[in-house]
Amino acid sequence: MNAMSVTYFRDTDTDPMGSRPHPAMALLENHWQSLRHGQNTPARADVDPASIDKALSWTFILHRVAPSVARIRIAGQNLHDVLRMDPRGMPISAFFDADDRSTLSVHVESVFSDPALIMIPLHRPAALLRPEVQGALLLMPLTDHLGEVTRAIGALVTDRSLGQRRRVQINGHLPMRYEPLSMYSAKAPVKQKGPSDMRSALRLVVNNG
């Protein structure tokens, strides 16, 4: 299978993220929500690969090894194909252009420290003879065997192959989805961060990757 070659986001050409998530992301989030048992952060041990088998090619598990440092422990085949190497042990920022990595680290840290569900819109700008690539990164927190939020499950998908560049950028022209788990009990509306928020550094985050 050609890595990340399935078109899924667009309901219309004017709404890149569309009203429908990629089926893999929808399946993964539904499974994560089913494990929450109310307001709790799901446990890593409760994730059932058989329940998300159709999403596994896009799915990864992050391990927060230190403040602001999270590395890939499990990665689906599509993520191997994008980098053309095994991404295990690498930071998720390995999939991103260097200019976006510090911003990404802020959002990744929020997944663990808030904790929060985050979906970040992605793109690869159009180039000569190559159309724009659009996509998204979904991150959802998990607890370890001690009950600490040191794991995250997520998916990285795009609407077509990234080609030789093999890197994406945060799309600052679209809002990101940010849902701290504390909001569920209050049934607050989903908070959307606008383009100006995407590039703001909420705190200094060092990514050793």
Side-chain angles (χ1 to χ4, degrees), residues 124-127 129-133 160:
R124 176 86 251 164
L129 302 179
R130 293 194 62 86
E132 181 184 19
V133 178
R160 53 176 58 89

Side-chain angles (χ1 to χ4, degrees), residues 126-206:
L128 183 64
L129 302 179
R130 293 194 62 86
E132 181 184 19
V133 178
Q134 299 179 16
L137 172 70
L138 174 66
L139 294 167
M140 299 173 291
L142 298 170
T143 59
D144 58 23
H145 67 287
L146 297 175
E148 301 293 330
V149 183
T150 63
R151 305 293 192 274
I153 190 168
L156 190 157
V157 289
T158 62
D159 64 352
R160 53 176 58 89
S161 172
L162 292 171
Q164 297 296 320
R165 295 299 301 273
R166 304 195 298 277
R167 297 292 188 276
V168 292
Q169 298 175 1
I170 294 173
N171 190 341
H173 299 291
L174 294 174
M176 67 173 270
R177 180 181 171 196
Y178 168 74
E179 297 178 15
L181 269 59
S182 59
M183 69 171 277
Y184 289 114
S185 60
K187 297 184 179 180
V190 174
K191 180 179 180 181
Q192 298 287 344
K193 291 189 177 182
S196 62
D197 295 315
M198 293 298 299
R199 300 286 177 176
S200 62
L202 302 180
R203 52 187 177 275
L204 179 62
V205 176
V206 178

